[in-house]
Each structure stands twice: as C-alpha cells, then as structure tokens.
Amino acid sequence: RFAPHCYAEMEDKLGQHSKVELEGMMEETSSTLRSTFISRHKKFDEFFLELLDNSEKSLNDMFVRTYGKLYTHNSEIFEDLFSELKRYYTGGNVNLEEMLNDFWSRLLERMFQLLNSQYTFTDDYLECISKYTDQLKPFGDVPRKLKAQVTRAFIAARTFVQGLMVGREVANRVAKVNISPGCSKALTKMLYCPYCGGLPGLRPCGNYCQNVMKGCLANQADLDPEWNLFIDAMLLVAERLEGPFNIEAVMEPIDVKISEAIMTMQDNSMQVSAKVFQGCGHPKPAGMSRSARGISDVFNSRFRPYSPEERPTTAAGTSLDRLRTVWRTMQHSVIDIKEKLKKSKKFWSTLPDAICTKERASEDEEQCWNSHTKGRYFPEVVKDGLTNQLNNPEVEVDITRPDTFIRQQIMALRVMTNKLRNAYNGNDIYFQDSSDEGSGSGSGSGCTEGCTTEFDFVPTEAPVVEADRSDPQPAADTAGHHGNTPPPPWLVAAIAGAGLLVLMQWR
C-alpha cells in the first residue's frame, strides 16, 4: 500500500490518473512516427495517382493533336488500359499480366480485321488469332518488354503504398496501451507516491523508470523484431521505386512504345496474315465493297512524318512537362519516406528510453525517487520483451499471457513483409498461383478447321536484346531505325502514323 497520507479513494483516483498519463506519454512519444506514416501514405498515393492521370493525358493529348477525331472515336482501348492500371494500384482484383495480354489481343484483333478487310471474320476466328499473339509476335518485342516493366513497377508501387498503410494502422493501434493492473499499480507508485510521502516534485530515478516502463510496455517491445524486418523490406521496395522498377521509365514513353508496336504490326502484316491463315484456316471473302478497302489502300494512306520544325508542342509538351514535374516530386517524396523509415527502426523497444527522459526522470541518481524514498536505485534494468519480465522488480507481469492484440499486429506486419519481399523480386503474390496455372494452358484455342498450335513466324525487325533487370532504361532503338543516334520519341510516334491510322479506322 501507499504512504499513510494516501487513502484508498485517493489511491483509486491516482491509479486512473496514472493510466491517463501513460496514455498521454505514448500519444506524445509515438506522434512523430504515426504522423510520418499518415502524411507519407497520403502524399505518395496522391503523387502516384496524379502520375497515372498525367501519363494518360500525355498519351491522349499527343494522339488527339496528331490524329484528331480518328483517335477520339477509337480511344476506348487505351482508356480501358489506364483504367485497369488504376484499378490494380488502388487494390482492385486485377491480374496485370492477363490484363496486358488482353490489351494486345484486342489491338491485334482490330488491326487484323482492317488489314484484311476483304475477308469476313467470325468471333471464333478472332479468338483463334488472339490465342497465338505470343507466337506470332505481330507487335515485335514491345509487348514482352512493356509487360515486364509495367508489372514490376506497378507491383512495387502498389505494395509500397499498402506497406505505408499497414505501418500507419499498426502504429496507431499499438500506441493505444492496454494497461494491466500490475502496470497501473507500478505507475501510480512511481508517479504519485512521492506526493503522498511528502516529497512533491521528486522525479523517479532513471533506472527505476526504465523497469516500470519495460514491464508496462513488454508486449510492445515484442513487436520490434517484426517491425524492423518490415521497415527493411519497405526500404528495399523504395529502392526499386527509385531504380529499375521506377514508374517513370514505364509511363513516360508508353505512347511511343504503343505507336512503335502498331508500326511493327503494319510492317509485318503480310507475314502475320499468312501465318494466321495457316494456323486458323482461310477466312471467307467479303463483298466487293469491303475488299476494295484492302491492304494496299491502307498502306498508301500513311501519315507523313513530322519534320523537326513541325513537331507538335502545345498540348503534348505541356502534359509531358507536367508528367515529369510530378515524377520529380514523387521521387523526392520516396527519398523523404526512406529517411523517415530508417529512423523508425527499433522504435518499440526504445519506448522506455523515449519516455524516461530528463523531463520525466531524474538525472541525479542520488536525489531521485527509488520507489521507497529519496536515494539511489540499486536493482538492474531488465531486458526488453515479455519473457524477460519474470524478474522485473517493479511490475507484476504474467509472461504466460501475451497480449493477443499485439500478436495480431505482429502477424499483420509479417504478412506485409512477405508481400514487400515478393514485390522487391518483381512478384505479385496475389496472382502467383493463378499465373502458374495459366502458364501451361493454350489448348482448346477455338480455332476453325485446319488449326495448328505452333507458328514459326519471325518479325522482319532485328531481334532486341532484353534490357538487364538492373537497367532502369530499356533499349531505345526502334524498329526499322538504323544508325548510331536513335530518333527522338516524338519522331517515332509520328512515323508510326501509318500504324495508328490503321488503329483509328476500326470503326
């Protein structure tokens, strides 16, 4: 019991005050950590969504400027692409690889019909064409490279923002202390017994305060090992966002890459058509009115390339500049987040140090409250964590009953850390199983009579060596371009006008 000046009723009130005071200490001590996760999650999320919006606007502005209504009347395939990318990032159930495969399949079906408008194609026939997109390689190497870049970058970004959200939730929850009766009693003794003993204003000895806090926050300290692993995994993914998985290398040139793919499809249309007819059967001829719009007419309708002085600048330049500005801001945000994350390591095990500062505990080891009187505190400071509280001289802790709530937060961190490690390696654990199951499929293609399941078609362009995984900038050479200096992106897009004309005449 407390000193005789403290009555039972007063003791109960002081016990309540002790709980409130510890809650306030935790609120104050963890405020920086919690606000870091809250504010950085908000900023990163806003920057990334703005980056996606500006990427879409950049593509739209460039195509509208160059091709006008031909693009606007047929833009839904690109709108769907960006819509699915946003849905994936915001947590939607989207398989990125399947979604991108579907994008290229739709593009192939539409272009193939136009390039062979003298024929009639059934739905089954179009399905047969799309089944063999990978084997035909009608768009050259662009789909494969773009798929690798998009999936890795978006997996990293989505997992990173989820990690910030999980860190925020765990920090908010663990900062709410579950104060046990033993902790409440020890707190009251430490904070208010000096008053009852006629020693008002005497602060507790530093090691005494440490033992009380290590007993009260033993379960929080057990969160620390998993928290540190989580922070390490977050830092790894942050490096990916700055390096080879960075979203800028994917989103800024996506319009040029798609135009390049369309141009490749048109250049290889004769070989592609021949192999499709071989694999899916020969289609039925259409009427004369359709056949009059054959391949030769399409190829004769190519847009002429822009000369440098005619380069479109107004709309495309504005949105592209905005895109780069948003990206630079986002990069600074990632750097800032990394620094804050590093400082948060070992946060939960160092809470007693953060609480038992000179403002709350005495620096004078002789002139301090030692739990009985003014004088030196002799017991040693116990180690961190629940199991080490068996011999805590100040707090009665039942080490056989871990805090269930804290254990739930440990499991939440463990799951998130696993996701982050997968994202660091470019794997999306949400779809690993389904991707593995689907990778061996391909029979039952829906082909008409005369189908074969293999094509030996090789595009006319020179093979492109895949960029190294550590290289943030993939090879920039475009199909059909020769010489040491690659053409500027706007020129590639303009040269691809012929292919885009094909794209725009679907309707």
Side-chain angles (χ1 to χ4, degrees):
R1 304 297 290 181
F2 299 103
H5 297 87
C6 291
Y7 301 102
E9 185 179 348
M10 183 182 295
E11 184 180 325
D12 290 339
K13 288 182 179 180
L14 292 176
Q16 291 300 318
H17 279 297
S18 298
K19 290 183 179 181
V20 172
E21 191 155 343
L22 179 58
E23 289 170 356
M25 292 177 193
M26 284 291 290
E27 184 82 14
E28 179 184 340
T29 306
S30 65
S31 62
T32 300
L33 176 70
R34 291 181 292 108
S35 64
T36 292
F37 276 93
I38 292 169
S39 62
R40 270 57 183 187
H41 172 268
K42 186 173 184 292
K43 283 185 178 179
F44 183 88
D45 194 48
E46 288 175 351
F47 288 150
F48 194 88
L49 290 172
E50 187 174 359
L51 188 73
L52 286 182
D53 287 339
N54 278 276
S55 297
E56 183 174 13
K57 190 173 187 300
S58 178
L59 181 146
N60 184 72
D61 287 351
M62 180 180 128
F63 284 3
V64 168
R65 170 82 176 180
T66 309
Y67 310 112
K69 291 182 179 179
L70 288 174
Y71 165 71
T72 57
H73 290 168
N74 296 277
S75 61
E76 82 284 350
I77 190 170
F78 300 103
E79 293 170 358
D80 290 346
L81 172 65
F82 279 96
S83 175
E84 287 297 281
L85 288 174
K86 289 176 188 175
R87 194 162 73 88
Y88 171 85
Y89 169 73
T90 54
N93 186 27
V94 177
N95 185 320
L96 280 179
E97 289 196 13
E98 289 182 3
M99 183 272 290
L100 291 168
N101 288 340
D102 182 62
F103 167 77
W104 292 110
S105 294
R106 289 175 64 193
L107 191 56
L108 172 60
E109 288 178 14
R110 292 197 180 191
M111 288 189 66
F112 191 85
Q113 289 180 84
L114 180 62
L115 289 165
N116 296 278
S117 57
Q118 65 270 41
Y119 297 107
T120 299
F121 300 100
T122 64
D123 291 340
D124 286 343
Y125 198 100
L126 293 176
E127 185 179 351
C128 176
I129 296 172
S130 64
K131 290 285 185 182
Y132 297 102
T133 305
D134 289 341
Q135 295 174 19
L136 286 168
K137 296 190 182 302
F139 300 110
D141 210 32
V142 173
R144 182 186 62 82
K145 290 170 66 176
L146 198 62
K147 184 198 297 185
Q149 293 164 347
V150 166
T151 52
R152 289 182 299 189
F154 273 76
I155 288 168
R158 174 164 107 158
T159 310
F160 188 71
V161 79
Q162 285 181 341
L164 290 173
M165 184 169 60
V166 168
R168 178 191 71 189
E169 293 303 314
V170 168
N172 281 336
R173 290 168 181 169
V174 178
K176 306 294 184 184
V177 188
N178 179 22
I179 301 176
S180 68
C183 170
S184 177
K185 181 179 178 181
L187 271 175
T188 307
K189 185 178 181 181
M190 181 181 78
L191 296 174
Y192 295 110
C193 266
Y195 292 89
C196 300
L199 297 169
L202 186 64
R203 285 178 293 178
C205 301
N207 288 351
Y208 172 38
C209 178
Q210 285 274 342
N211 275 338
V212 172
M213 288 304 155
K214 283 178 182 284
C216 287
L217 304 176
N219 284 284
Q220 277 78 0
D222 281 345
L223 184 78
D224 220 41
E226 202 63 49
W227 177 265
N228 294 338
L229 293 174
F230 162 71
I231 295 298
D232 286 339
M234 285 288 290
L235 291 170
L236 285 175
V237 176
E239 289 178 9
R240 291 301 200 200
L241 292 171
E242 294 178 300
F245 289 19
N246 84 69
I247 205 73
E248 180 192 35
V250 178
M251 301 313 295
E252 183 174 317
I254 197 169
D255 45 8
V256 176
K257 289 178 184 291
I258 293 173
S259 293
E260 177 189 339
I262 293 169
M263 182 174 67
T264 301
M265 166 70 179
Q266 189 169 2
D267 287 343
N268 296 320
S269 61
M270 299 295 286
Q271 297 96 321
V272 172
S273 296
K275 290 298 179 181
V276 168
F277 295 161
Q278 175 187 334
C280 297
H282 210 279
K284 296 180 180 179
M288 288 301 295
S289 60
R290 286 179 58 87
S291 62
R293 299 185 292 108
I295 296 174
S296 60
D297 293 328
V298 174
F299 277 96
N300 291 334
S301 303
R302 288 189 174 211
F303 282 102
R304 62 184 178 85
Y306 280 101
S307 60
E309 60 271 15
E310 292 176 304
R311 176 185 177 184
T313 56
T314 308
T318 300
S319 58
L320 187 57
D321 289 342
R322 177 58 183 157
L323 176 62
R324 288 168 175 163
T325 300
V326 173
W327 171 250
R328 283 194 296 270
T329 307
M330 185 174 165
Q331 284 291 74
H332 289 308
S333 174
V334 172
I335 294 170
D336 170 65
I337 291 170
K338 283 175 61 179
E339 292 305 311
K340 298 290 192 237
L341 289 174
K342 289 175 184 176
K343 293 178 181 178
S344 75
K345 289 191 70 173
K346 298 184 179 179
F347 175 83
W348 304 104
S349 62
T350 57
L351 273 173
D353 297 313
I355 291 175
C356 296
T357 59
K358 62 182 180 181
E359 286 79 18
R360 298 193 181 97
S362 174
E363 292 182 295
D364 187 341
E365 290 300 319
E366 300 294 338
Q367 301 294 317
C368 56
W369 176 252
N370 65 8
S371 80
H372 301 289
T373 186
K374 181 168 69 173
R376 177 174 290 273
Y377 180 77
F378 291 100
E380 292 184 359
V381 177
V382 297
K383 294 181 180 179
D384 301 316
L386 190 63
T387 57
N388 290 314
Q389 304 310 307
L390 182 63
N391 298 315
N392 191 315
E394 307 304 334
V395 186
E396 294 180 11
V397 181
D398 185 355
I399 65 171
T400 65
R401 300 184 62 184
D403 189 311
T404 305
F405 184 74
I406 296 293
R407 292 310 181 268
Q408 289 173 349
Q409 306 314 306
I410 290 173
M411 288 306 300
L413 288 174
R414 192 167 295 165
V415 170
M416 193 65 240
T417 299
N418 187 40
K419 291 181 182 179
L420 289 162
R421 287 171 177 166
N422 275 279
Y424 176 75
N425 293 317
N427 300 321
D428 192 344
I429 67 171
Y430 299 99
F431 296 111
Q432 276 185 323
D433 293 337
S434 61
S435 296
D436 291 341
E437 291 169 4
S439 61
S441 62
S443 59
S445 61
C447 296
T448 56
E449 186 178 356
C451 264
T452 59
T453 57
E454 294 184 2
F455 294 91
D456 57 357
F457 167 69
V458 179
T460 56
E461 66 173 344
V464 179
V465 179
E466 182 179 7
D468 187 90
R469 287 174 67 91
S470 63
D471 181 7
Q473 295 297 332
D477 288 337
T478 54
H481 178 72
H482 302 284
N484 295 326
T485 305
W490 62 265
L491 183 55
V492 176
I495 293 173
L500 199 55
L501 174 61
V502 173
L503 174 65
M504 301 316 166
Q505 290 181 345
W506 289 326
R507 293 183 181 176

